[in-house]
Amino acid sequence: MEVIHTVRDLRRRLAGEGAVGLVPTMGSLHEGHLSLVRSARTLASCVVTSVFVNRLQFGPGEDFERYPRDLSEDTRLLGAAGCQVVFAPDESEMYPVPQRFLVEPPELQHELEGAIRPGHFRGVCTVVLKLINMVHPQVALFGKKDYQQWTLLREMVGALSLPVRMVSGETMRADDGLALSSRNAYLSPEQRSEAPRLQRVLRTVAAGIKAGAARGDLLTAASAELAAHGWQVDYLALRRQSDLAPPQPGERALVLLAAARLGGTRLIDNLEVLLPEA
Ligand code: PAF
């Protein structure tokens, strides 16, 4: 496996490669990322994993500075997962001049995550577009834990006619249900044992929806349960899977999306809910 830091070396390495698969990451890798790398290996002959903590998608006061970084451990894990190329540009390689051209995503960028993190999805879409242009992959893989990111990136690829196939990976979870996330490293032992409640309440809401209970009441009760256990809930919402618009009556493919803070750590999670035909 090679670790490459510049676009020039990357293009030289990838010239003549057949099918290239791209797994964009910000490093601090866990099983969620590694399972994407393994899927990419089945879809491409050369897998490129990018490791770049993208300042553009962090707001003022967010955790850009303290975001965990350990390239040598990431490289070790990627080698074991069968990745061929690690692309780890530094900021001056990714943004040699201040990035004044930005991808402007549609209205959904201001909702849910975007309501709490203004500009976040502009930063995500801009860096992913740049990575696609740098790597020229046939296929790019993203985890569904960041469901809204996945939705917007998929739409971006279609809207800008990018010649890349978009593939999603399921959220990887610890045995107690907590979605794997690089930010779990911030949790104290007490917070870590509380954290699986986020997925548990989503499961309770999903069961209630399937049983036909009032959706608003279910969401209110779930937020109240989280608050009673020390969480600050940013949002807990039911949307339709296809474009994250509020569901219309009779819509069957739904998704619950949540973000909440435990102390200084903000966790997000989601749960797809497929209702049976009426
Ligand atoms: O999901 C992430 O880790 C990041 O948002 C991504 C897609 C690598 C862009 O920086």
Side-chain angles (χ1 to χ4, degrees):
M1 191 183 64
E2 280 173 67
V3 182
I4 292 177
H5 298 282
T6 67
V7 178
R8 198 170 144 202
D9 288 349
L10 182 71
R11 293 214 166 115
R12 197 175 293 154
R13 167 62 182 81
L14 296 180
E17 275 293 350
V20 175
L22 170 64
V23 181
T25 81
M26 298 206 298
S28 185
L29 302 180
H30 51 67
E31 191 49 37
H33 303 108
L34 300 176
S35 74
L36 292 177
V37 170
R38 287 189 210 102
S39 300
R41 280 176 57 199
T42 68
L43 302 170
S45 50
C46 177
V47 177
V48 179
T49 303
S50 61
V51 175
F52 179 68
V53 184
N54 175 36
R55 185 190 292 274
L56 226 55
Q57 69 189 72
F58 288 78
E62 291 189 13
D63 56 348
F64 174 74
E65 301 298 341
R66 73 166 179 144
Y67 198 84
R69 293 163 173 86
D70 187 348
L71 185 58
S72 59
E73 174 63 0
D74 289 343
T75 304
R76 191 186 68 72
L77 293 169
L78 288 170
C83 174
Q84 277 86 21
V85 176
V86 179
F87 177 48
D90 65 19
E91 273 202 87
S92 62
E93 185 69 15
M94 184 61 76
Y95 300 123
V97 292
Q99 188 70 29
R100 294 190 297 141
F101 280 87
L102 299 166
V103 177
E104 189 66 27
E107 196 47 35
L108 176 60
Q109 71 159 318
H110 302 301
E111 299 175 28
L112 303 166
E113 279 301 283
I116 312 291
R117 307 183 68 188
H120 171 68
F121 290 114
R122 203 179 287 140
V124 169
C125 289
T126 301
V127 81
V128 171
L129 177 60
K130 284 179 73 110
L131 285 166
I132 288 173
N133 286 333
M134 290 168 173
V135 177
H136 287 170
Q138 273 69 47
V139 56
L141 296 92
F142 298 85
K144 278 205 285 189
K145 187 176 89 63
D146 297 297
Y147 208 95
Q148 190 177 1
Q149 166 175 287
W150 162 245
T151 306
L152 283 166
L153 289 174
R154 207 180 43 203
E155 185 175 345
M156 174 181 84
V157 161
L160 300 181
S161 308
L162 301 179
V164 61
R165 177 177 156 212
M166 296 289 276
V167 170
S168 64
E170 293 303 321
T171 303
M172 293 291 132
R173 299 186 179 279
D175 289 345
D176 59 9
L178 177 64
L180 299 189
S181 162
S182 308
R183 292 189 168 97
N184 292 350
Y186 302 151
L187 297 169
S188 69
E190 296 71 34
Q191 291 167 339
R192 173 62 190 80
S193 55
E194 173 58 26
R197 189 181 304 277
L198 189 56
Q199 177 62 199
R200 280 205 305 275
V201 301
L202 294 184
R203 288 189 184 280
T204 305
V205 174
I209 291 172
K210 285 181 179 161
R215 295 172 176 188
D217 294 349
L218 291 165
L219 293 170
T220 306
S223 291
E225 176 179 341
L226 289 170
H229 289 86
W231 296 73
Q232 283 173 281
V233 180
D234 283 344
Y235 60 84
L236 213 161
L238 180 69
R239 296 292 174 103
R240 67 177 181 206
Q241 283 178 26
S242 55
D243 58 2
L244 301 191
Q248 299 299 309
E251 206 108 45
R252 292 174 47 231
L254 308 175
V255 57
L256 287 160
L257 302 141
R261 277 166 287 147
L262 258 186
T265 303
R266 190 165 179 279
L267 299 178
I268 65 172
D269 204 352
N270 61 73
L271 182 64
E272 289 180 332
V273 186
L274 191 59
L275 298 181
E277 258 173 280

